[in-house]
Amino acid sequence: MDSRKNFIFGCSGHGKVIAELAEMLNLKIEAFLDDSPKGKHFGTIPIYNTTEKLSFDANSSLIIGVGNNKIRKMLSARFDYFKLFTLIHKSAIISTSAKIENGTVVMANVIVNAEAQIGQHVILNSASIIEHNCIIGDFVHVSPGVTLSGNIIIGEGTHIGSGSTVIPGIKIGKWCTIGAGTVVLKDVPDGATVVGNPGRVIKSSNNYDILEYEKNVNLK
């Protein structure tokens, strides 16, 4: 019998989707944790303000229900004493040779094909397709309806917008933003924002250092 106590940090939209996915999988969520909760419960799940005195034991496990990739990385360091758990929707098709790391959530109708590697704290959103031999870094968000063709590398923290397509063999750097509906035909450097069909770089930034970002975000 599984004795873990499972928690979700973040009780806004993405966190609630994760809670409903857990319910579908018959996985009990002990509580939400939130810095600024807007209620006491979501359904039957209590919401605890992190300013309260809370205690956790060795069996406490966490998944981070926050869509923003940089904030998700910051929170992973803040809550590094938790074990991580992973949620995979029953309708997802996952190759037996694919590898999915802890803290990741895989939504409805996702396909992950042979020898794909998915990092920690990744969001594979509804109906996205991850083809064979893709490597997806930690804290990436692959939005609904994205198609990643074979042998693609996606760097840490990158956001791939809804309905985008990336052709085979492409390397997308870390902390990039790929706009919704973009068709990526060539490699993308770190920190770039790419939009259009064909995709073109409209903005580049070297200012994606997580420590600098943290200074400007109101998190405990």
Side-chain angles (χ1 to χ4, degrees):
M1 182 176 178
D2 190 349
S3 61
R4 288 184 308 171
K5 293 182 178 180
N6 300 303
F7 296 87
I8 299 171
F9 182 92
C11 191
S12 54
H14 182 58
K16 291 173 181 176
V17 171
I18 289 176
E20 291 183 349
L21 173 54
E23 182 180 21
M24 284 184 234
L25 297 171
N26 296 315
L27 182 70
K28 182 183 177 183
I29 299 299
E30 195 78 13
F32 282 98
L33 309 177
D34 200 292
D35 288 341
S36 301
K38 295 181 172 58
K40 295 293 186 181
H41 290 84
F42 173 65
T44 61
I45 305 172
I47 306 170
Y48 296 155
N49 193 319
T50 51
T51 60
E52 300 173 30
K53 187 176 181 180
L54 304 172
S55 61
F56 306 100
D57 59 31
N59 289 319
S60 297
S61 297
L62 182 78
I63 197 164
I64 299 173
V66 175
N68 183 292
N69 295 346
K70 287 187 176 180
I71 293 177
R72 206 159 60 255
K73 181 171 182 178
M74 290 159 52
L75 290 167
S76 73
R78 176 177 161 189
F79 293 111
D80 62 357
Y81 50 87
F82 276 97
K83 296 177 182 177
L84 300 174
F85 67 99
T86 295
L87 293 174
I88 300 175
H89 197 283
K90 289 180 179 178
S91 65
I93 300 172
I94 310 296
S95 167
T96 56
S97 61
K99 183 177 181 181
I100 298 176
E101 299 286 354
N102 289 333
T104 287
V105 59
V106 180
M107 300 297 189
N109 299 314
V110 168
I111 298 173
V112 179
N113 272 328
E115 296 189 327
Q117 300 176 42
I118 315 299
Q120 290 190 333
H121 302 287
V122 171
I123 302 169
L124 299 184
N125 226 318
S126 307
S128 55
I129 299 173
I130 315 299
E131 271 298 345
H132 64 88
N133 299 102
C134 286
I135 300 174
I136 311 298
D138 297 342
F139 309 104
V140 167
H141 182 176
V142 179
S143 297
V146 167
T147 298
L148 300 181
S149 305
N151 293 292
I152 291 167
I153 298 174
I154 309 290
E156 178 186 274
T158 284
H159 186 120
I160 311 292
S162 298
S164 297
T165 300
V166 184
I167 67 167
I170 293 296
K171 181 177 180 181
I172 297 177
K174 61 186 178 181
W175 301 105
C176 296
T177 300
I178 309 300
T182 296
V183 179
V184 181
L185 303 178
K186 59 184 180 179
D187 291 353
V188 178
D190 294 347
T193 298
V194 177
V195 300
N197 181 9
R200 66 192 187 281
V201 176
I202 62 166
K203 182 169 64 174
S204 295
S205 174
N206 294 320
N207 188 26
Y208 46 77
D209 183 86
I210 199 71
L211 296 177
E212 289 299 316
Y213 182 80
E214 188 171 10
K215 292 176 185 177
N216 300 308
V217 175
N218 184 23
L219 285 174
K220 296 183 181 297

